[in-house]
Amino acid sequence: MSETTLEITQDLLLGGRVRLLQPAKGHRAGTDAVLLAAAAPVRPGDVAMDVGAATGAVGLMAAARVPDARFVFVERDPALAALCRRNCRDNNLHGEVAVADVLDKASRHDAGLRPESADLVLTNPPFLEEGQARISPDRSRAAAHALPAGGLEAWLKACAGLLKPKGRLVMIHRADRVAECLAILEGRLGGMELRFVHPAADRPAIRFLLSGTKGARAPLTILPPVILNGPDGRFTPQAEALHLGEAALL
């Protein structure tokens, strides 16, 4: 699928601070991307990688807060990568876009992604693996939501491998896979911080944010949860501030 065959929309994120071109159909950036970017501890001068970037929403929102870092967007779909380049230009960000399959070592190498080269890796891995659920017939949506069997472990190991010593990984995923992710990252990251995301205060978590430092030994910390909606169904003040770019989860 080429960029020219996509039906494209332009959306405004963080109260209009970020303009995002993205496909009208298939996987689209939303609250998960907002939360992941809000939890990104980007520092000036960092090499920050958005792995599985699609059209770049997470990295662009993180860059809106700390533009004085080097942002690298990693995306395997050439059409989405092309849109990511356009989004970088439209948002005046000199970001680098690497067209690479993060699960393939040769692909990462050919795209210039070297081991232990990132200070920060941000990632929202596809939520499903083959055989776990019915996969969407829409090719782009299926690619964004599903990995091959065992793909989550390979994905997270690759992300950890891209980190420099003391570099930090921040990820968001479905709440029902938290134990699996913690097990995969055990021994690779330490000082892990876990924060659950609930649709409402009286409902179970649907997502978690997890961060950790490569080579650290500190124990796991459970941080206060994020509650997205109040009793009236509207965003809570915190969720509203996060979506407007007026707050962070740091």
Side-chain angles (χ1 to χ4, degrees), residues 32-57:
D32 288 355
V34 169
L35 295 177
L36 181 55
V42 187
R43 301 167 299 183
D46 275 354
V47 175
M49 291 188 183
D50 179 355
V51 174
T55 62

Side-chain angles (χ1 to χ4, degrees), residues 129 147 150-158 180 184 188:
E129 293 184 12
L147 290 166
L152 180 60
E153 181 174 6
W155 185 290
L156 293 181
K157 285 181 177 179
E180 183 180 358
I184 292 168
R188 293 181 172 84

Side-chain angles (χ1 to χ4, degrees), residues 14 56 73 115 131 155 162 175 210 241:
L14 303 186
F73 299 82
W155 185 290
L162 291 169
L210 179 65

